[in-house]
Amino acid sequence: MQLTEQLQSLVTENQLSSASGMIGKFIGGLTEDNDRVAGFVVSVIRQGDDITLELDNGWHVPISGVETVIDPDLLPDADPPDEPEGEAPAE
Protein backbone atom coordinates (compact mmCIF):
# COMPACT_ATOMS: atom_id res chain seq x y z
CA MET A 1 0.00 0.00 0.00
CA GLN A 2 1.41 3.39 -0.92
CA LEU A 3 1.86 6.14 1.62
CA THR A 4 -0.86 8.33 0.06
CA GLU A 5 -3.36 5.46 0.22
CA GLN A 6 -2.47 4.84 3.86
CA LEU A 7 -2.91 8.52 4.68
CA GLN A 8 -6.28 8.68 2.87
CA SER A 9 -7.44 5.60 4.77
CA LEU A 10 -6.39 7.21 8.05
CA VAL A 11 -8.24 10.45 7.20
CA THR A 12 -11.40 8.51 6.29
CA GLU A 13 -11.32 6.49 9.51
CA ASN A 14 -10.81 9.68 11.53
CA GLN A 15 -13.77 11.35 9.80
CA LEU A 16 -15.94 8.28 10.44
CA SER A 17 -15.02 8.30 14.11
CA SER A 18 -15.76 12.03 14.42
CA ALA A 19 -19.06 11.67 12.56
CA SER A 20 -20.16 8.77 14.77
CA GLY A 21 -19.70 11.02 17.79
CA MET A 22 -22.30 13.38 16.33
CA ILE A 23 -25.15 10.85 16.48
CA GLY A 24 -27.87 12.39 18.67
CA LYS A 25 -26.41 15.88 18.33
CA PHE A 26 -28.17 18.81 16.65
CA ILE A 27 -26.14 20.03 13.67
CA GLY A 28 -26.39 22.73 11.05
CA GLY A 29 -24.59 22.81 7.74
CA LEU A 30 -24.68 22.64 3.97
CA THR A 31 -25.90 19.76 1.81
CA GLU A 32 -24.11 18.69 -1.38
CA ASP A 33 -26.43 21.15 -3.20
CA ASN A 34 -25.47 23.99 -0.81
CA ASP A 35 -28.85 24.03 0.92
CA ARG A 36 -28.52 25.23 4.52
CA VAL A 37 -30.20 22.65 6.78
CA ALA A 38 -30.32 21.62 10.43
CA GLY A 39 -31.52 18.66 12.46
CA PHE A 40 -30.62 15.84 14.79
CA VAL A 41 -28.08 13.31 13.49
CA VAL A 42 -29.65 9.84 13.36
CA SER A 43 -27.02 7.93 11.39
CA VAL A 44 -23.65 8.10 9.65
CA ILE A 45 -23.25 6.83 6.10
CA ARG A 46 -19.92 5.85 4.56
CA GLN A 47 -19.75 5.37 0.81
CA GLY A 48 -16.15 4.83 -0.25
CA ASP A 49 -14.20 7.77 1.15
CA ASP A 50 -17.32 9.95 1.60
CA ILE A 51 -18.84 10.37 5.08
CA THR A 52 -22.38 11.76 5.30
CA LEU A 53 -24.63 12.53 8.27
CA GLU A 54 -28.32 11.62 7.98
CA LEU A 55 -30.63 13.97 9.87
CA ASP A 56 -33.97 13.18 11.50
CA ASN A 57 -35.77 15.30 8.90
CA GLY A 58 -34.34 13.33 5.95
CA TRP A 59 -31.57 15.70 4.92
CA HIS A 60 -28.02 14.45 4.32
CA VAL A 61 -25.00 16.61 5.18
CA PRO A 62 -21.45 15.65 4.18
CA ILE A 63 -19.04 15.78 7.11
CA SER A 64 -17.18 18.59 5.33
CA GLY A 65 -20.43 20.63 5.25
CA VAL A 66 -21.01 20.65 9.03
CA GLU A 67 -20.90 24.20 10.42
CA THR A 68 -22.48 23.86 13.87
CA VAL A 69 -22.75 21.03 16.40
CA ILE A 70 -24.95 21.45 19.48
CA ASP A 71 -25.39 18.97 22.31
CA PRO A 72 -29.19 18.80 22.81
CA ASP A 73 -28.68 18.17 26.54
CA LEU A 74 -27.49 21.77 26.78
CA LEU A 75 -30.65 23.19 25.18
CA PRO A 76 -33.42 24.05 27.68
CA ASP A 77 -36.44 22.91 25.64
CA ALA A 78 -35.03 20.56 22.99
CA ASP A 79 -37.22 17.71 21.79
CA PRO A 80 -35.36 14.43 21.37
CA PRO A 81 -35.26 13.16 17.75
CA ASP A 82 -37.85 10.42 18.41
CA GLU A 83 -40.46 12.87 19.76
CA PRO A 84 -41.23 15.47 17.06
CA GLU A 85 -42.78 18.71 18.28
CA GLY A 86 -46.56 18.62 18.45
CA GLU A 87 -46.85 14.86 18.95
CA ALA A 88 -47.33 13.14 22.27
CA PRO A 89 -44.85 10.40 23.11
CA ALA A 90 -46.13 6.84 22.67
CA GLU A 91 -47.24 5.19 25.91
Side-chain angles (χ1 to χ4, degrees):
M1 187 180 258
Q2 294 181 347
L3 182 59
T4 54
E5 291 173 354
Q6 289 175 333
L7 289 173
Q8 181 58 45
S9 177
L10 182 61
V11 167
T12 301
E13 292 304 318
N14 187 39
Q15 288 178 334
L16 184 61
S17 177
S18 295
S20 296
M22 291 186 209
I23 292 175
K25 303 285 195 266
F26 188 86
I27 67 116
L30 298 173
T31 67
E32 287 285 335
D33 296 327
N34 288 322
D35 292 319
R36 190 167 305 278
V37 298
F40 287 95
V41 178
V42 294
S43 71
V44 175
I45 302 165
R46 176 182 176 180
Q47 293 179 326
D49 292 337
D50 297 327
I51 308 292
T52 303
L53 304 175
E54 180 180 11
L55 306 184
D56 64 327
N57 52 21
W59 287 104
H60 291 87
V61 178
I63 191 76
S64 61
V66 174
E67 298 175 321
T68 306
V69 180
I70 300 171
D71 185 341
D73 293 336
L74 301 177
L75 299 175
D77 293 340
D79 288 331
D82 57 347
E83 296 180 19
E85 188 173 325
E87 293 182 21
E91 293 185 24

